[in-house]
Every structure is written in C-alpha cells, then in structure tokens.
Amino acid sequence: MSTNRKKIPKTIGIFGASGHIGGPMASWLRYHAPQVRLRLITSRKDGIAGLRARFPGCDVTVGDYRDPASLVRAVADMEGLFVITTSGTDEAEAMGNLVSAIRQAGCLVHMIRTVGELPGANLRRIPDGLTAFRLGIETQHPIARRIIDESDLPNTYFNIGASFMDNLLRPGFFDPRQRKIVSVEHRVPYIDTREIGEAAARVLLDPDHRHLYQFHTLNNGQDYLFYRDVAQTMSDVLMTRIGFDDSEEGFAAAYGPLVAQGILPELILDFLPMYHRYEEENQVGWSLNDFLERTLGRTPTTLRSWLMEHRELFEQRLRMAA
C-alpha cells in the first residue's frame, strides 16, 4: 500500500470565485464533489449577491487581501484553499496577511497558489521600465513565492505558463472595429481558464501528497503560437479575414479609446507593450507539457476548438462594430 497520501480537504475556500478560473472551479466541485463544503471568497462586497445566486447553498464571504480581519473570517475552517491575485496586487502585503490568517486558522491541508512566471526568470534581467511599475506580476509573483515558501505552508504552485484564451474577449487585444489582433509579436502557449479551475480542484482532491511543494507549469500542451498564427486561426474559424498589427500606431488606435472611456487604466499604454517585449525576449524558454492533460484525464481544449465554441460571440462583436 502506498504511503504517498495526504488528507483530502473536506472544506475548500476559493479566492476569486466570481472570476474566470475560480467560478469554473466552484462549478466543477459542486457537481463532482458535493460532499465538500465550499466557501466562495470575493474581494468585493458587491460580488456577494451574484455568487449566492449562481451557487445557492454555498458559503459566500468577502476576503480582501488588504484587510486582515476579512481574511481570518475567509479561511477559518478551510482545509483546502485556492489562492489567486489580480495584476497590481502588492504581494508582500497580501501574502503576509494571508499567511498570518492561515496560521491563525490552523487547519490547512493543501493550498494552491497561482503565479505567472517566465521559465527561469531572473529578477536582475527584468527591464528597468517594468520594475518601475512595481506591481506587475513579473516582480510581484516572486515576492509571493518567497513569502509562501518561507511559511512552509502545504502549498502547490500553479504557474500559468500560457496566455489565457479568453484574453481574446477582453477589450483591446482583439479589435473588432479594425478586425485585427493588436500586440507586440511574440510566441506563447495557450490555455482555457476553465481547465485551470478544474485542474486545481482535481489536485486538491488528489490524495497523492507529492503534489505538495511542487511548481507545476500549465499549458494545453498543443498550441505554441505567434499572434499572426492566432489571427490566421481566427480567420479560418470565423471565415472572415482577421489581421494582425504589431505597430505602435495600431496599439494606440486600439487601446487609446478604451483608456479615454475609462475602461482601461492609462498606464496600460506604456506597460503592456513593454511587458510583451519582455515576453518576446524570453519566449524560447517556454515549452509545452502534458501536466494539464494528465491531471484532467483528457486532451485539453485547443485554441481552435475554443474559438469554434465562441464563434457566435465573436461574430456578434464584428457585426456590432461594423
């Protein structure tokens, strides 16, 4: 009999439960593990009503990384935790407060923390322009790792070594008015965010203790594409020509109006191209792997199949922009 076993959490708290990773994770657990008591954690009070309507019967609470008292309430009695932060988070404050709250609760069996780090990233090689922003993931996620590592809490890192497929639905990246993708050209792997949530649920429920203290990098194991290739795939699926523009003028035309309308912050005009150039300088470090496939027990979603699933939504946006 194998001794490589850990306790399976009877209670799981999901930070970011209203998001595109935490929400699917909660849905998967409700169906596949109804015996697990879920606590859905949101950073916004105005998000509570929506979560209660979407997941009736689940415990819903506010957990603000800047508010230690709210974190104590959020993690109390939670044996499993899924932890994710948004870009712009001060990780020293956030993880310092969270570690303190978890220690106070004294019941953690397994935590999964998401990060997004380039392979073998060296903080000394991050361009000064990026470090000046201070709150980008390239500088903050190593801080989060240091604090969690030093805490010795039973944690597994999910390093998202891929671009989210649903980034194509976010304002700016795909410009339906100009029918093109706008970005600094570089090559990245891809992943469906719903499958990150499912994988996190499966690992928390896995009795194999060897996941603890591991650094798992996730991608769909298939798509490692330049953006011009993504544009071509979109063209094939939508049967309309989708272009690709990596010019400064194209970026300003796509993102400038969104900043002017207050949809996106002004700093993105400087930060995003700089971050994409940093990714481009390090793109050869990425490699596709089968961790997600092994964890899900099936072939992960490809970018083409994801685009086919969302084809009507893209066609609607093209019609509205015409």
Side-chain angles (χ1 to χ4, degrees), residues 6 8-15 17 22 25-26 28-30 33 35-41 58-59 74-83 108-112 197 200-206:
K6 76 172 198 323
I8 297 176
K10 295 184 176 65
T11 57
I12 292 177
I14 302 174
F15 282 86
M25 179 180 180
W28 192 93
L29 284 166
R30 288 255 293 182
Q35 75 281 5
V36 175
R37 179 165 65 89
L38 296 183
R39 178 172 295 154
L40 310 181
I41 306 166
C58 286
D59 183 13
V75 304
D77 303 319
M78 292 295 105
E79 295 179 340
L81 285 174
F82 175 74
V83 179
L108 183 67
V109 170
H110 194 174
M111 178 172 78
I112 291 178
R202 287 179 178 274
V203 168
L204 285 178
L205 297 179
D206 192 335

Side-chain angles (χ1 to χ4, degrees), residues 235-257:
S235 299
D236 294 344
V237 170
L238 300 176
M239 290 187 287
T240 188
R241 182 58 54 194
I242 302 300
F244 169 69
D245 189 346
D246 61 353
S247 70
E248 294 182 5
E249 295 78 12
F251 183 85
Y255 283 87

Side-chain angles (χ1 to χ4, degrees), residues 12-31 38-43 50-51 54-55 58-60 65 81-86 112 114 158 160 164 166 192-202 204:
I12 292 177
I14 302 174
F15 282 86
S18 60
H20 60 173
I21 297 175
M25 179 180 180
S27 294
W28 192 93
L29 284 166
R30 288 255 293 182
Y31 179 74
L38 296 183
R39 178 172 295 154
L40 310 181
I41 306 166
T42 176
S43 61
L51 280 172
R54 184 178 174 187
F55 300 103
C58 286
D59 183 13
V60 180
Y65 293 118
L81 285 174
F82 175 74
V83 179
I84 188 169
T85 59
T86 59
I112 291 178
T114 65
F158 266 25
I160 314 304
F164 296 149
D166 57 15
D192 184 338
T193 54
R194 296 170 296 185
E195 293 177 339
I196 300 172
E198 179 182 338
R202 287 179 178 274
L204 285 178

Side-chain angles (χ1 to χ4, degrees), residues 51-98:
L51 280 172
R52 284 178 175 161
R54 184 178 174 187
F55 300 103
C58 286
D59 183 13
V60 180
T61 191
V62 171
D64 186 337
Y65 293 118
R66 299 166 298 179
D67 180 0
S70 75
L71 292 179
V72 169
R73 292 189 294 270
V75 304
D77 303 319
M78 292 295 105
E79 295 179 340
L81 285 174
F82 175 74
V83 179
I84 188 169
T85 59
T86 59
S87 180
T89 297
D90 183 337
E91 295 284 358
E93 177 184 32
M95 292 303 100
N97 289 339
L98 181 64

Side-chain angles (χ1 to χ4, degrees), residues 137-313:
I137 63 172
E138 70 289 339
T139 55
Q140 288 297 312
H141 283 184
I143 294 173
R145 286 186 65 192
R146 175 179 55 78
I147 293 171
I148 293 171
D149 288 346
E150 291 175 354
S151 75
D152 286 326
L153 291 174
N155 176 68
T156 301
Y157 292 108
F158 266 25
N159 184 43
I160 314 304
S163 179
F164 296 149
M165 294 177 186
D166 57 15
N167 280 346
L168 289 165
L169 294 171
R170 298 176 65 182
F173 190 70
F174 169 62
D175 186 348
R177 295 174 299 116
Q178 301 184 72
R179 294 179 175 241
K180 62 185 178 182
I181 292 174
V182 179
S183 174
V184 173
E185 178 63 305
H186 60 296
R187 192 182 187 195
V188 292
Y190 282 83
I191 197 166
D192 184 338
T193 54
R194 296 170 296 185
E195 293 177 339
I196 300 172
E198 179 182 338
R202 287 179 178 274
V203 168
L204 285 178
L205 297 179
D206 192 335
D208 191 339
H209 77 232
R210 289 169 293 196
H211 284 293
L212 294 173
Y213 310 107
Q214 297 293 339
F215 188 83
H216 293 311
T217 294
L218 285 68
N219 52 60
N220 75 354
Q222 301 165 86
D223 296 307
Y224 181 32
L225 304 171
F226 288 101
Y227 283 118
R228 60 178 179 269
D229 300 323
V230 176
Q232 182 60 57
T233 303
M234 288 186 71
S235 299
D236 294 344
V237 170
L238 300 176
M239 290 187 287
T240 188
R241 182 58 54 194
I242 302 300
F244 169 69
D245 189 346
D246 61 353
S247 70
E248 294 182 5
E249 295 78 12
F251 183 85
Y255 283 87
L258 297 172
V259 170
Q261 297 169 47
I263 298 173
L264 294 174
E266 185 174 1
L267 64 83
I268 203 167
L269 295 176
D270 292 321
F271 176 81
L272 194 56
M274 197 179 306
Y275 183 74
H276 283 171
R277 284 193 290 271
Y278 171 62
E279 285 188 311
E280 189 275 332
E281 284 291 320
N282 293 275
Q283 68 184 27
V284 297
W286 290 123
S287 61
L288 299 176
N289 66 64
D290 67 350
F291 172 78
L292 189 60
E293 180 174 3
R294 286 185 285 112
T295 303
L296 300 180
R298 65 176 187 275
T299 301
T301 301
T302 64
L303 181 62
R304 179 178 291 272
S305 62
W306 184 90
L307 287 168
M308 292 176 66
E309 178 186 352
H310 295 85
R311 179 169 51 195
E312 289 187 8
L313 180 54

